[in-house]
Protein backbone atom coordinates (compact mmCIF):
# COMPACT_ATOMS: atom_id res chain seq x y z
CA UNK A 1 0.00 0.00 0.00
CA UNK A 2 1.12 3.51 -0.63
CA UNK A 3 2.02 5.66 2.34
CA UNK A 4 0.44 8.85 1.06
CA UNK A 5 -3.12 9.47 2.30
CA UNK A 6 -5.61 9.11 -0.52
CA UNK A 7 -7.33 12.44 -0.04
CA UNK A 8 -7.28 15.90 -1.56
CA UNK A 9 -5.95 18.57 0.76
CA UNK A 10 -5.36 22.25 0.05
CA UNK A 11 -3.27 24.03 2.68
CA UNK A 12 -2.04 26.98 0.57
CA UNK A 13 -3.13 28.73 -2.59
CA UNK A 14 -2.04 26.89 -5.75
CA UNK A 15 0.87 27.38 -6.32
CA UNK A 16 2.04 27.73 -2.71
CA UNK A 17 5.04 29.75 -1.51
CA UNK A 18 7.59 26.92 -1.77
CA UNK A 19 6.49 26.11 -5.29
CA UNK A 20 6.75 29.78 -6.21
CA UNK A 21 10.28 29.93 -4.84
CA UNK A 22 11.25 26.87 -6.87
CA UNK A 23 9.51 28.31 -9.92
CA UNK A 24 11.73 31.40 -9.69
CA UNK A 25 14.84 29.18 -9.57
CA UNK A 26 13.49 27.15 -12.44
CA UNK A 27 12.87 30.17 -14.64
CA UNK A 28 16.44 31.30 -14.07
CA UNK A 29 18.00 28.01 -15.12
CA UNK A 30 15.62 25.73 -17.04
CA UNK A 31 15.23 26.37 -20.78
CA UNK A 32 12.03 28.23 -21.57
CA UNK A 33 11.05 25.73 -24.25
CA UNK A 34 10.35 23.13 -21.57
CA UNK A 35 6.81 23.82 -20.35
CA UNK A 36 4.78 22.56 -17.38
CA UNK A 37 1.02 22.16 -16.97
CA UNK A 38 1.01 23.40 -13.37
CA UNK A 39 3.70 25.42 -11.55
CA UNK A 40 3.51 23.22 -8.47
CA UNK A 41 6.59 21.20 -7.57
CA UNK A 42 6.11 17.56 -6.64
CA UNK A 43 7.29 16.20 -3.31
CA UNK A 44 5.81 12.69 -3.41
CA UNK A 45 3.01 10.80 -5.07
CA UNK A 46 1.15 7.52 -4.88
CA UNK A 47 -2.21 5.99 -5.75
CA UNK A 48 -4.38 8.79 -7.13
CA UNK A 49 -2.67 11.62 -5.22
CA UNK A 50 0.24 13.94 -5.92
CA UNK A 51 1.60 15.96 -2.98
CA UNK A 52 3.43 19.21 -3.64
CA UNK A 53 6.27 20.84 -1.71
CA UNK A 54 3.80 23.01 0.22
CA UNK A 55 1.87 19.97 1.45
CA UNK A 56 -1.09 20.33 -0.91
CA UNK A 57 -2.47 17.05 -2.15
CA UNK A 58 -3.82 17.06 -5.68
CA UNK A 59 -6.10 14.48 -7.25
CA UNK A 60 -4.14 13.10 -10.18
CA UNK A 61 -6.09 12.84 -13.45
CA UNK A 62 -2.89 12.93 -15.50
CA UNK A 63 -0.57 10.09 -14.42
CA UNK A 64 2.39 12.09 -15.73
CA UNK A 65 0.78 11.74 -19.19
CA UNK A 66 -0.45 8.15 -18.99
CA UNK A 67 2.75 6.84 -17.41
CA UNK A 68 2.01 5.95 -13.79
CA UNK A 69 -0.81 3.59 -14.71
CA UNK A 70 0.05 1.39 -11.72
CA UNK A 71 0.30 4.46 -9.46
CA UNK A 72 3.41 6.39 -8.51
CA UNK A 73 6.14 4.45 -6.72
CA UNK A 74 4.04 1.30 -6.91
CA UNK A 75 5.24 -1.33 -4.47
CA UNK A 76 6.42 -3.94 -6.99
CA UNK A 77 8.09 -1.27 -9.13
CA UNK A 78 10.04 0.13 -6.16
CA UNK A 79 10.93 -3.32 -4.83
CA UNK A 80 12.25 -4.70 -8.10
CA UNK A 81 13.95 -1.49 -9.28
CA UNK A 82 15.62 -0.99 -5.86
CA UNK A 83 16.98 -4.52 -5.86
CA UNK A 84 18.33 -4.00 -9.36
CA UNK A 85 19.89 -0.64 -8.39
CA UNK A 86 21.82 -2.39 -5.65
CA UNK A 87 23.03 -5.19 -7.98
CA UNK A 88 24.18 -3.16 -10.98
CA UNK A 89 22.92 -0.03 -12.70
CA UNK A 90 24.25 -0.50 -16.21
CA UNK A 91 26.40 -2.75 -18.33
CA UNK A 92 24.94 -1.78 -21.71
CA UNK A 93 22.93 -4.63 -23.21
CA UNK A 94 25.05 -4.34 -26.36
CA UNK A 95 28.20 -5.03 -24.29
CA UNK A 96 27.13 -7.65 -21.73
CA UNK A 97 23.45 -8.59 -21.67
CA UNK A 98 21.30 -9.28 -18.58
CA UNK A 99 18.16 -11.26 -17.82
CA UNK A 100 15.78 -8.34 -17.14
CA UNK A 101 15.88 -7.18 -20.76
CA UNK A 102 15.07 -10.68 -21.99
CA UNK A 103 12.29 -11.06 -19.42
CA UNK A 104 10.66 -7.80 -20.57
CA UNK A 105 10.79 -9.01 -24.20
CA UNK A 106 9.17 -12.29 -23.10
CA UNK A 107 6.38 -10.36 -21.39
CA UNK A 108 5.87 -8.19 -24.47
CA UNK A 109 5.62 -11.29 -26.66
CA UNK A 110 3.04 -12.75 -24.30
CA UNK A 111 0.91 -9.63 -23.80
CA UNK A 112 0.78 -7.99 -27.24
CA UNK A 113 -1.91 -9.10 -29.72
CA UNK A 114 -1.38 -12.12 -31.95
CA UNK A 115 0.01 -15.60 -31.34
CA UNK A 116 2.70 -15.47 -34.02
CA UNK A 117 6.42 -15.58 -33.17
CA UNK A 118 7.42 -12.17 -31.80
CA UNK A 119 10.61 -10.34 -30.94
CA UNK A 120 11.29 -6.99 -29.30
CA UNK A 121 13.96 -4.31 -29.04
CA UNK A 122 14.06 -1.91 -26.08
CA UNK A 123 14.73 1.82 -26.06
CA UNK A 124 14.48 4.83 -23.74
CA UNK A 125 11.60 6.92 -25.04
CA UNK A 126 8.50 6.63 -27.12
CA UNK A 127 9.96 8.72 -29.91
CA UNK A 128 12.96 6.43 -30.08
CA UNK A 129 10.68 3.40 -30.33
CA UNK A 130 8.73 4.98 -33.21
CA UNK A 131 11.96 5.90 -35.03
CA UNK A 132 13.14 2.34 -34.70
CA UNK A 133 9.83 0.96 -35.93
CA UNK A 134 10.39 3.05 -39.08
CA UNK A 135 13.97 1.78 -39.44
CA UNK A 136 12.81 -1.82 -39.09
CA UNK A 137 9.87 -1.42 -41.49
CA UNK A 138 12.12 0.20 -44.09
CA UNK A 139 14.85 -2.41 -44.00
CA UNK A 140 12.26 -5.21 -44.03
CA UNK A 141 10.27 -3.86 -46.99
CA UNK A 142 13.16 -2.12 -48.78
CA UNK A 143 10.71 0.76 -49.24
CA UNK A 144 10.85 4.30 -47.87
CA UNK A 145 7.45 5.98 -47.63
CA UNK A 146 5.75 6.21 -44.24
CA UNK A 147 2.03 6.97 -43.89
CA UNK A 148 0.69 8.79 -40.84
CA UNK A 149 -2.63 10.46 -40.04
CA UNK A 150 -4.24 13.80 -39.38
CA UNK A 151 -4.16 14.53 -35.62
CA UNK A 152 -1.44 11.91 -35.08
CA UNK A 153 1.33 12.37 -32.53
CA UNK A 154 4.52 10.32 -32.50
CA UNK A 155 7.15 12.40 -30.68
CA UNK A 156 9.54 15.34 -30.80
CA UNK A 157 12.76 14.01 -32.36
CA UNK A 158 13.46 14.99 -35.94
CA UNK A 159 11.86 11.97 -37.62
CA UNK A 160 8.93 11.84 -35.19
CA UNK A 161 8.29 15.60 -35.52
CA UNK A 162 7.74 14.89 -39.20
CA UNK A 163 5.33 12.10 -38.29
CA UNK A 164 3.46 14.35 -35.84
CA UNK A 165 0.64 16.38 -37.34
CA UNK A 166 0.34 19.44 -35.08
CA UNK A 167 2.56 22.45 -35.79
CA UNK A 168 2.36 24.41 -32.51
CA UNK A 169 4.07 23.65 -30.21
CA UNK A 170 5.74 20.54 -31.59
CA UNK A 171 7.18 21.59 -34.95
CA UNK A 172 7.04 25.35 -35.41
CA UNK A 173 10.50 26.68 -36.33
CA UNK A 174 12.20 23.31 -35.83
CA UNK A 175 12.41 22.18 -39.47
CA UNK A 176 13.57 21.00 -41.93
CA UNK A 177 11.74 17.75 -41.39
CA UNK A 178 12.50 14.24 -42.58
CA UNK A 179 11.34 13.32 -46.10
CA UNK A 180 9.06 10.51 -47.33
CA UNK A 181 6.37 11.09 -44.72
CA UNK A 182 2.76 11.29 -45.99
CA UNK A 183 -0.30 12.31 -44.00
CA UNK A 184 -3.81 11.07 -44.76
CA UNK A 185 -7.25 11.61 -43.16
CA UNK A 186 -8.29 9.84 -39.97
CA UNK A 187 -11.83 8.79 -39.02
CA UNK A 188 -12.67 11.50 -36.46
CA UNK A 189 -16.35 10.72 -35.80
CA UNK A 190 -17.31 13.96 -34.03
CA UNK A 191 -15.96 16.15 -36.85
CA UNK A 192 -16.66 13.99 -39.89
CA UNK A 193 -18.56 16.20 -42.38
CA UNK A 194 -21.19 13.62 -43.32
CA UNK A 195 -21.68 12.38 -39.76
CA UNK A 196 -20.28 9.76 -37.42
CA UNK A 197 -22.24 6.86 -39.03
CA UNK A 198 -20.45 7.28 -42.36
CA UNK A 199 -17.11 8.13 -40.89
CA UNK A 200 -15.34 4.76 -40.72
CA UNK A 201 -16.13 3.70 -44.28
CA UNK A 202 -15.62 7.10 -45.89
CA UNK A 203 -12.43 7.98 -44.05
CA UNK A 204 -10.80 4.63 -44.75
CA UNK A 205 -11.75 4.88 -48.44
CA UNK A 206 -10.27 8.38 -48.61
CA UNK A 207 -7.09 7.38 -46.79
CA UNK A 208 -6.57 4.30 -48.96
CA UNK A 209 -7.32 6.28 -52.13
CA UNK A 210 -4.74 8.91 -51.19
CA UNK A 211 -2.12 6.29 -50.38
CA UNK A 212 -2.75 4.48 -53.66
CA UNK A 213 -2.92 7.55 -55.88
CA UNK A 214 -0.44 9.91 -54.26
CA UNK A 215 2.28 7.55 -52.98
CA UNK A 216 1.66 4.15 -54.55
CA UNK A 217 1.12 1.24 -52.16
CA UNK A 218 4.25 -0.47 -53.48
CA UNK A 219 6.38 2.41 -52.16
CA UNK A 220 5.00 2.34 -48.63
CA UNK A 221 7.12 0.78 -45.89
CA UNK A 222 4.80 1.46 -42.96
CA UNK A 223 1.41 2.78 -41.92
CA UNK A 224 1.68 4.14 -38.37
CA UNK A 225 -1.41 4.92 -36.32
CA UNK A 226 -2.41 5.36 -32.70
CA UNK A 227 -5.44 3.07 -32.14
CA UNK A 228 -6.80 5.87 -29.93
CA UNK A 229 -5.16 9.15 -30.88
CA UNK A 230 -3.69 10.77 -27.78
CA UNK A 231 -2.30 14.27 -28.28
CA UNK A 232 -4.70 14.74 -31.21
CA UNK A 233 -7.59 14.77 -28.71
CA UNK A 234 -8.40 11.21 -27.60
CA UNK A 235 -9.95 10.46 -30.96
CA UNK A 236 -11.31 6.93 -31.29
CA UNK A 237 -11.23 6.20 -35.02
CA UNK A 238 -14.74 5.26 -36.15
CA UNK A 239 -15.44 1.53 -36.28
CA UNK A 240 -14.13 -0.12 -39.40
CA UNK A 241 -11.36 2.38 -40.03
CA UNK A 242 -8.49 0.50 -38.38
CA UNK A 243 -9.50 -2.92 -39.79
CA UNK A 244 -9.73 -1.46 -43.31
CA UNK A 245 -6.24 0.04 -43.07
CA UNK A 246 -4.78 -3.08 -41.49
CA UNK A 247 -6.25 -5.19 -44.32
CA UNK A 248 -4.94 -2.76 -46.94
CA UNK A 249 -1.48 -2.95 -45.36
CA UNK A 250 -1.58 -6.74 -45.36
CA UNK A 251 -2.67 -6.94 -49.01
CA UNK A 252 0.13 -4.63 -50.08
CA UNK A 253 3.08 -5.86 -48.03
CA UNK A 254 3.05 -2.73 -45.87
CA UNK A 255 4.10 -2.99 -42.22
CA UNK A 256 1.14 -1.95 -40.04
CA UNK A 257 2.44 -0.24 -36.90
CA UNK A 258 0.20 0.44 -33.91
CA UNK A 259 1.66 3.25 -31.82
CA UNK A 260 0.29 2.22 -28.42
CA UNK A 261 2.64 4.42 -26.46
CA UNK A 262 -0.26 6.27 -24.83
CA UNK A 263 -3.13 3.81 -25.32
CA UNK A 264 -1.29 0.64 -24.31
CA UNK A 265 -0.73 -1.25 -21.09
CA UNK A 266 -4.31 -1.48 -19.79
CA UNK A 267 -5.13 2.19 -20.32
CA UNK A 268 -8.23 1.67 -22.48
CA UNK A 269 -9.59 -1.35 -20.63
CA UNK A 270 -7.68 -3.89 -22.68
CA UNK A 271 -3.97 -4.61 -22.62
CA UNK A 272 -3.73 -2.81 -25.98
CA UNK A 273 -6.30 -0.57 -27.62
CA UNK A 274 -6.03 -2.27 -31.02
CA UNK A 275 -7.57 -5.41 -29.49
CA UNK A 276 -10.89 -3.53 -29.45
CA UNK A 277 -11.40 -4.30 -33.13
CA UNK A 278 -9.31 -7.45 -33.18
CA UNK A 279 -6.36 -5.81 -34.92
CA UNK A 280 -3.09 -7.71 -34.87
CA UNK A 281 -0.43 -5.16 -35.83
CA UNK A 282 2.83 -6.23 -37.47
CA UNK A 283 4.73 -3.96 -35.08
CA UNK A 284 3.60 -2.28 -31.89
CA UNK A 285 5.40 0.56 -30.12
CA UNK A 286 5.06 0.91 -26.35
CA UNK A 287 6.48 3.25 -23.71
CA UNK A 288 4.68 5.49 -21.17
CA UNK A 289 2.76 2.97 -19.02
CA UNK A 290 5.28 0.16 -19.46
CA UNK A 291 7.58 0.76 -16.49
CA UNK A 292 5.73 2.71 -13.78
CA UNK A 293 7.61 5.93 -14.57
CA UNK A 294 11.09 4.76 -15.44
CA UNK A 295 12.19 5.51 -18.98
CA UNK A 296 11.65 2.46 -21.15
CA UNK A 297 10.16 1.88 -24.59
CA UNK A 298 9.85 -1.02 -26.97
CA UNK A 299 9.19 -2.12 -30.50
CA UNK A 300 7.56 -5.55 -30.58
CA UNK A 301 6.49 -7.43 -33.65
CA UNK A 302 6.61 -10.31 -36.05
CA UNK A 303 9.93 -12.11 -35.62
CA UNK A 304 10.72 -12.07 -39.33
CA UNK A 305 10.24 -8.30 -39.53
CA UNK A 306 12.07 -7.58 -36.27
CA UNK A 307 15.01 -9.69 -37.46
CA UNK A 308 15.34 -7.84 -40.76
CA UNK A 309 17.93 -5.42 -39.37
CA UNK A 310 21.59 -6.54 -39.37
CA UNK A 311 23.29 -7.14 -36.02
CA UNK A 312 24.35 -3.82 -34.51
CA UNK A 313 21.78 -1.92 -36.60
CA UNK A 314 19.48 -1.36 -33.63
CA UNK A 315 20.28 -0.32 -30.08
CA UNK A 316 21.63 2.53 -27.99
CA UNK A 317 23.79 3.00 -24.92
CA UNK A 318 20.95 2.97 -22.41
CA UNK A 319 18.19 1.14 -24.30
CA UNK A 320 16.56 -1.38 -21.96
CA UNK A 321 18.42 -0.13 -18.89
CA UNK A 322 18.39 -2.85 -16.21
CA UNK A 323 16.67 -0.67 -13.58
CA UNK A 324 13.97 0.35 -16.07
CA UNK A 325 13.50 -3.31 -17.06
CA UNK A 326 13.12 -4.33 -13.41
CA UNK A 327 10.57 -1.55 -12.98
CA UNK A 328 8.69 -2.78 -16.06
CA UNK A 329 8.52 -6.30 -14.66
CA UNK A 330 7.13 -4.80 -11.44
CA UNK A 331 4.60 -2.70 -13.33
CA UNK A 332 3.43 -5.65 -15.46
CA UNK A 333 3.18 -7.86 -12.35
CA UNK A 334 0.99 -5.17 -10.75
CA UNK A 335 -1.23 -4.86 -13.84
CA UNK A 336 -1.83 -8.61 -13.82
CA UNK A 337 -2.32 -8.93 -10.06
CA UNK A 338 -4.75 -6.03 -9.80
CA UNK A 339 -6.40 -6.82 -13.15
CA UNK A 340 -5.90 -3.24 -14.32
CA UNK A 341 -7.72 -3.72 -17.63
CA UNK A 342 -10.87 -4.41 -15.58
CA UNK A 343 -10.07 -1.47 -13.33
CA UNK A 344 -9.90 0.78 -16.41
CA UNK A 345 -13.34 -0.41 -17.50
CA UNK A 346 -14.63 0.35 -14.00
CA UNK A 347 -13.23 3.89 -14.25
CA UNK A 348 -15.01 4.36 -17.59
CA UNK A 349 -18.26 3.17 -16.01
CA UNK A 350 -17.98 5.86 -13.37
CA UNK A 351 -16.73 8.67 -15.58
CA UNK A 352 -18.78 8.33 -18.76
CA UNK A 353 -22.29 8.63 -17.23
CA UNK A 354 -21.24 11.55 -15.05
CA UNK A 355 -19.63 13.35 -18.00
CA UNK A 356 -22.69 12.61 -20.14
CA UNK A 357 -24.86 14.23 -17.45
CA UNK A 358 -22.57 17.29 -17.51
CA UNK A 359 -22.88 17.38 -21.30
CA UNK A 360 -26.67 17.53 -20.93
CA UNK A 361 -26.33 20.50 -18.66
CA UNK A 362 -23.50 22.46 -20.24
CA UNK A 363 -23.60 23.26 -23.96
CA UNK A 364 -19.86 23.84 -23.99
CA UNK A 365 -19.29 20.08 -23.90
CA UNK A 366 -19.64 19.01 -27.52
CA UNK A 367 -18.43 15.44 -27.14
CA UNK A 368 -17.63 12.88 -24.45
CA UNK A 369 -15.42 10.04 -25.62
CA UNK A 370 -12.64 7.61 -24.90
CA UNK A 371 -12.34 4.20 -23.33
CA UNK A 372 -11.27 2.86 -19.95
CA UNK A 373 -9.02 5.29 -18.14
CA UNK A 374 -8.47 7.35 -21.30
CA UNK A 375 -11.50 9.65 -21.36
CA UNK A 376 -11.97 13.18 -22.69
CA UNK A 377 -14.44 15.97 -23.27
CA UNK A 378 -14.24 18.21 -26.34
CA UNK A 379 -15.31 21.81 -25.77
CA UNK A 380 -17.05 23.91 -28.42
CA UNK A 381 -18.40 27.44 -28.70
CA UNK A 382 -21.46 26.25 -30.55
CA UNK A 383 -22.82 22.74 -30.83
CA UNK A 384 -23.99 23.22 -34.40
CA UNK A 385 -20.84 24.73 -35.88
CA UNK A 386 -18.62 22.76 -33.48
CA UNK A 387 -16.26 25.72 -33.39
CA UNK A 388 -13.50 24.71 -30.94
CA UNK A 389 -13.39 26.52 -27.59
CA UNK A 390 -9.71 26.54 -26.55
CA UNK A 391 -10.16 29.54 -24.22
CA UNK A 392 -12.96 27.86 -22.27
CA UNK A 393 -10.86 24.69 -22.12
CA UNK A 394 -7.88 26.56 -20.69
CA UNK A 395 -10.14 28.33 -18.18
CA UNK A 396 -11.73 25.04 -17.14
CA UNK A 397 -8.35 23.38 -16.66
CA UNK A 398 -7.15 26.34 -14.60
CA UNK A 399 -10.25 26.25 -12.40
CA UNK A 400 -9.66 22.53 -11.77
CA UNK A 401 -6.00 23.12 -10.96
CA UNK A 402 -6.88 25.83 -8.45
CA UNK A 403 -9.16 23.37 -6.67
CA UNK A 404 -6.51 20.67 -6.57
CA UNK A 405 -7.48 18.54 -9.56
CA UNK A 406 -4.68 17.87 -12.01
CA UNK A 407 -6.11 17.68 -15.54
CA UNK A 408 -4.42 18.01 -18.93
CA UNK A 409 -5.47 19.89 -22.06
CA UNK A 410 -4.94 18.24 -25.43
CA UNK A 411 -6.22 18.17 -29.01
CA UNK A 412 -5.22 19.70 -32.31
CA UNK A 413 -7.46 22.68 -31.49
CA UNK A 414 -6.46 22.85 -27.80
CA UNK A 415 -10.10 22.25 -26.85
CA UNK A 416 -10.02 18.80 -25.30
CA UNK A 417 -9.76 18.15 -21.58
CA UNK A 418 -8.36 14.66 -21.05
CA UNK A 419 -8.54 12.39 -18.05
CA UNK A 420 -5.83 9.80 -17.47
CA UNK A 421 -6.08 8.80 -13.82
CA UNK A 422 -3.74 6.17 -12.45
CA UNK A 423 -5.78 2.97 -12.81
CA UNK A 424 -5.35 2.28 -9.08
CA UNK A 425 -7.25 5.45 -8.12
CA UNK A 426 -10.07 4.94 -5.60
CA UNK A 427 -13.72 5.57 -6.50
CA UNK A 428 -13.98 8.35 -3.91
CA UNK A 429 -11.16 10.35 -5.42
CA UNK A 430 -12.47 9.75 -8.90
CA UNK A 431 -15.90 11.05 -7.96
CA UNK A 432 -14.45 13.98 -6.05
CA UNK A 433 -12.41 14.90 -9.12
CA UNK A 434 -15.58 14.82 -11.20
CA UNK A 435 -17.35 16.99 -8.59
CA UNK A 436 -14.58 19.58 -8.95
CA UNK A 437 -14.89 19.47 -12.72
CA UNK A 438 -18.64 19.96 -12.49
CA UNK A 439 -18.29 22.96 -10.20
CA UNK A 440 -15.63 24.40 -12.49
CA UNK A 441 -17.98 23.99 -15.48
CA UNK A 442 -20.61 26.01 -13.66
CA UNK A 443 -18.07 28.80 -13.17
CA UNK A 444 -16.65 29.26 -16.68
C1 LIG B 1 4.05 10.32 -25.84
C2 LIG B 1 3.93 9.67 -27.15
C3 LIG B 1 5.04 9.46 -27.97
C4 LIG B 1 6.41 9.95 -27.62
O1 LIG B 1 6.91 9.37 -26.46
P1 LIG B 1 8.13 10.07 -25.70
O2 LIG B 1 8.49 9.09 -24.63
O3 LIG B 1 7.63 11.37 -25.17
O4 LIG B 1 9.21 10.26 -26.70
C5 LIG B 1 4.84 8.79 -29.17
N1 LIG B 1 3.61 8.34 -29.53
C6 LIG B 1 2.54 8.53 -28.75
C7 LIG B 1 1.22 7.99 -29.18
C8 LIG B 1 2.65 9.21 -27.54
O5 LIG B 1 1.56 9.43 -26.79
Amino acid sequence: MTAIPQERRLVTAIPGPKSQELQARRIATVAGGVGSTMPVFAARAGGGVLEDVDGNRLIDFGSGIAVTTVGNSAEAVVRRASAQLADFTHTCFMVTPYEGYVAVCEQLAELTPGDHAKKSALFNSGAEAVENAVKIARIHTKRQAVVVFDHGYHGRTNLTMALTSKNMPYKNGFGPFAPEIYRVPVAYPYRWPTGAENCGAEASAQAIDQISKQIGAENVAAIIIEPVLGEGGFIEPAKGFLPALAAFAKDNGIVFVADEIQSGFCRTGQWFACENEGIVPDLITTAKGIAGGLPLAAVTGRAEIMDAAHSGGLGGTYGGNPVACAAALGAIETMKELDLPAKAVHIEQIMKPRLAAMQEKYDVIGDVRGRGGMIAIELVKDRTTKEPAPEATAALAKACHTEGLLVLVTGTYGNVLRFLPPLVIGDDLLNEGLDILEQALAGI
Side-chain angles (χ1 to χ4, degrees), residues 47 67-72 74 77 289 291-292 330-332 334-335 338 340 422-424:
V67 169
T68 53
T69 302
V70 294
N72 244 297
V77 171
I332 292 167
T334 307
M335 292 175 198
L338 302 182
L340 290 191
L423 299 181
V424 295

Side-chain angles (χ1 to χ4, degrees), residues 11-362:
V11 293
T12 70
I14 301 282
K18 287 186 181 153
S19 276
Q20 289 183 36
E21 236 177 86
L22 284 166
Q23 181 70 1
R25 280 173 56 194
R26 173 223 172 110
I27 287 168
T29 197
V30 178
V34 184
S36 293
T37 301
M38 279 181 82
V40 297
F41 282 71
R44 55 187 189 136
V49 169
L50 189 148
E51 187 173 304
D52 75 9
V53 288
D54 291 288
N56 298 301
R57 293 198 191 115
L58 314 178
I59 300 175
D60 183 7
F61 275 14
S63 300
I65 319 188
V67 169
T68 53
T69 302
V70 294
N72 244 297
S73 300
E75 188 276 330
V77 171
V78 174
R79 174 169 39 81
R80 285 178 178 255
S82 306
Q84 180 58 51
L85 266 172
D87 283 346
F88 64 94
T89 47
H90 174 82
T91 61
C92 187
F93 193 78
M94 302 182 303
V95 178
T96 50
Y98 35 86
E99 184 182 353
Y101 190 117
V102 178
V104 169
C105 296
E106 287 169 349
Q107 289 295 317
L108 285 163
E110 176 195 312
L111 294 169
T112 54
D115 48 18
H116 49 277
K118 290 175 208 157
K119 292 197 176 182
S120 294
L122 304 183
F123 304 97
N124 303 295
S125 69
E128 220 189 325
V130 175
E131 293 229 359
N132 278 279
V134 171
K135 283 169 66 174
I136 293 163
R138 281 179 170 161
I139 198 157
H140 170 73
T141 57
K142 303 186 175 63
R143 304 172 181 176
Q144 295 188 351
V146 176
V147 172
V148 287
F149 293 83
D150 287 339
H151 308 287
Y153 178 87
H154 302 287
R156 296 169 178 269
T157 56
N158 186 264
L159 177 56
T160 58
M161 271 194 295
L163 299 173
T164 289
S165 99
K166 189 176 175 180
N167 178 49
M168 271 302 273
Y170 305 124
K171 303 168 77 161
N172 194 46
F174 298 143
F177 303 110
E180 286 304 314
I181 310 290
Y182 301 88
R183 194 173 313 288
V184 299
V186 76
Y188 187 165
Y190 179 63
R191 293 190 176 277
W192 196 252
T194 57
E197 325 71 63
N198 308 315
C199 180
E202 288 182 10
S204 55
Q206 275 188 24
I208 288 168
D209 186 62
Q210 283 190 21
I211 296 168
S212 310
K213 300 296 183 306
Q214 297 178 17
I215 318 165
E218 67 277 20
N219 297 312
V220 178
I223 294 175
I224 309 180
I225 189 160
E226 302 158 84
V228 177
L229 286 79
E231 304 301 306
F234 283 22
I235 301 163
E236 292 175 86
K239 284 263 176 298
F241 184 77
L242 292 172
L245 279 146
F248 174 77
K250 189 159 190 269
D251 291 346
N252 290 282
I254 299 168
V255 177
F256 187 81
V257 184
D259 180 350
E260 294 253 14
I261 288 168
Q262 191 157 162
S263 58
F265 279 104
C266 312
R267 182 47 61 186
T268 62
Q270 292 171 294
W271 276 90
F272 295 96
C274 60
E275 291 168 46
N276 191 250
E277 285 185 276
I279 306 282
V280 178
D282 298 313
L283 300 181
I284 179 163
T285 54
T286 52
K288 294 197 165 92
I290 191 175
L294 276 83
L296 188 70
V299 183
T300 301
R302 295 185 189 280
E304 67 277 15
I305 301 178
M306 291 299 296
D307 279 339
H310 43 276
S311 176
L314 306 176
T317 306
Y318 295 112
N321 169 273
V323 181
C325 285
L329 295 171
I332 292 167
E333 176 188 317
T334 307
M335 292 175 198
K336 288 179 177 172
E337 269 179 28
L338 302 182
D339 192 3
L340 290 191
K343 190 64 206 311
V345 171
H346 175 74
I347 288 171
E348 175 181 343
Q349 284 166 352
I350 292 180
M351 292 195 97
K352 277 269 190 78
R354 288 208 54 189
L355 293 170
M358 292 180 214
Q359 185 183 21
E360 293 266 297
K361 208 160 147 197
Y362 299 103

